[in-house]
């Protein structure tokens, strides 16, 4: 802190002090800071007090001078809260610093992503999928286990049959669900990340059916209803079997 006194500038240094008046060690800092990270992220801990040693825990308990000594980066492979203090002879221990690192879950396929229903984090889907239809920020895709729509910019342009390699992620949501009954709607991957584009393995063909045989294919699935009369406009249509009487 610089202060002007009698036309002269003076530099004053302030340090942390405990209630007893003894200088306290600076509180440790984490790099990177708390937040959502990928598995394998390395976390370093530092202290501004020269000569101080750092001790930490990863089990949620508050660290003491007897806790594990920090000697190098900590690898985060699952959701973990790191807590640390810094100590030095002749000084009060630092305050406890804490940082929570969230590692989203990994799932094998779209069905497992839907079952997890994680609206807070962004699970990673490990298996490949295929694009079926894309328009703007709407991408309908499947991997054989389930169908889903990715909503948001994927940074890619897909056509029917393009492979979407595993490693993509996003948050789970349900579009069009009744807010009162919690019924209806279809699953989405929102805020999609990690989408890349593989080769095209051939167009996905629609499931062929008729009105009489239609038994409610999975939501978002690609179907073709044969021998049907369609009437209507805008978003409202009616379909009827041409063999049915008027």
């Amino acid at each position: 802190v610089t202060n002007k006194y009698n036309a002269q500038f003076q530099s004053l240094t302030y340090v942390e002090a405990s209630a007893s008046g003894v200088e306290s060690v600076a509180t440790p800092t984490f790099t990177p800071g708390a937040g959502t990270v990928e598995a394998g992220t390395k976390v370093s801990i530092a202290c501004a007090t020269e000569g101080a040693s750092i001790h930490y825990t990863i089990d949620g308990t508050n660290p003491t001078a007897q806790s594990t000594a920090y000697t190098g980066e900590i690898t985060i492979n699952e959701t973990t809260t790191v807590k640390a203090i810094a100590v030095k002879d002749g000084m009060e221990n630092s305050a406890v610093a804490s940082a929570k690192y969230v590692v989203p879950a990994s799932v094998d396929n779209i069905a497992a992503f839907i079952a997890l229903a994680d609206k807070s984090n962004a699970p990673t889907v490990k298996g490949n999928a295929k694009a079926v239809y894309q328009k703007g920020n709407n991408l309908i895709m499947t991997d054989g286990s389930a169908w889903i729509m990715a909503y948001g910019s994927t940074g890619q342009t897909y056509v029917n049959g393009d492979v979407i390699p595993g490693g993509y992620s996003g948050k789970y949501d349900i579009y069009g669900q009744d807010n009162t009954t919690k019924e209806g709607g279809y699953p989405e991957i929102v805020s999609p990340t990690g989408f890349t584009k593989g080769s095209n393995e051939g167009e996905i063909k629609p499931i062929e059916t008729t009105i009489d045989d239609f038994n409610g294919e999975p939501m978002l699935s690609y179907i073709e209803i044969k021998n049907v009369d369609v009437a209507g406009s805008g978003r409202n249509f009616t379909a009827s079997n041409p063999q049915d009487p008027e």
Side-chain angles (χ1 to χ4, degrees):
V1 178
T2 302
N3 182 44
K4 186 176 182 182
Y5 178 71
N6 289 340
Q8 294 184 348
F9 288 94
Q10 300 174 326
S11 180
L12 306 175
T13 301
Y14 289 87
V15 297
E16 292 185 58
S18 66
S20 65
V22 178
E23 184 180 347
S24 296
V25 180
T27 303
T29 57
F30 301 97
T31 303
T36 300
V37 298
E38 295 181 354
T41 295
K42 307 288 187 182
V43 174
S44 61
I45 312 175
C47 177
T49 301
E50 186 176 355
S53 62
I54 299 171
H55 299 263
Y56 70 95
T57 62
I58 57 173
D59 61 0
T61 61
N62 286 333
T64 68
Q66 285 71 49
S67 298
T68 302
Y70 174 75
T71 58
E73 293 178 324
I74 302 166
T75 302
I76 305 297
N77 287 318
E78 59 185 0
T79 297
T80 303
T81 297
V82 182
K83 295 185 178 184
I85 61 167
V87 302
K88 184 178 180 180
D89 289 343
M91 300 178 68
E92 289 283 346
N93 294 350
S94 74
V96 174
S98 178
K100 183 176 181 178
Y101 298 94
V102 176
V103 178
S106 293
V107 294
D108 291 332
N109 51 40
I110 292 173
F113 176 90
I114 294 171
L116 191 61
D118 192 340
K119 293 187 175 184
S120 299
N121 303 304
T124 296
V125 182
K126 296 184 288 185
N128 292 351
K130 280 188 177 181
V132 179
Y133 174 79
Q134 183 181 34
K135 183 176 182 180
N137 286 334
N138 300 299
L139 169 65
I140 297 175
M141 51 194 285
T142 184
D143 62 2
S145 71
W147 298 70
I148 199 166
M149 184 172 79
Y151 176 72
S153 176
T154 62
Q156 304 290 335
T157 299
Y158 296 101
V159 297
N160 189 330
D162 282 346
V163 172
I164 303 170
Y168 60 89
S169 62
K171 294 182 179 180
Y172 170 84
D173 201 2
I174 302 178
Y175 179 80
Q177 186 180 63
D178 187 287
N179 291 330
T180 302
T181 64
K182 303 301 181 183
E183 295 178 346
Y186 54 80
E188 291 184 310
I189 298 176
V190 296
S191 302
T193 60
F195 276 71
T196 56
K197 184 177 177 180
S199 60
N200 189 290
E201 294 186 350
E203 181 178 334
I204 295 176
K205 301 296 184 180
I207 301 168
E208 296 184 358
T209 187
T210 65
I211 288 182
D212 291 336
D213 295 332
F214 181 67
N215 59 358
E217 296 295 337
M219 185 70 72
L220 294 178
S221 58
Y222 185 27
I223 64 172
E224 179 182 352
I225 302 177
K226 291 182 169 293
N227 302 321
V228 65
D229 288 338
V230 178
S233 62
R235 294 185 176 183
N236 299 312
F237 293 89
T238 58
S240 60
N241 190 323
Q243 297 176 350
D244 289 343
E246 294 293 334

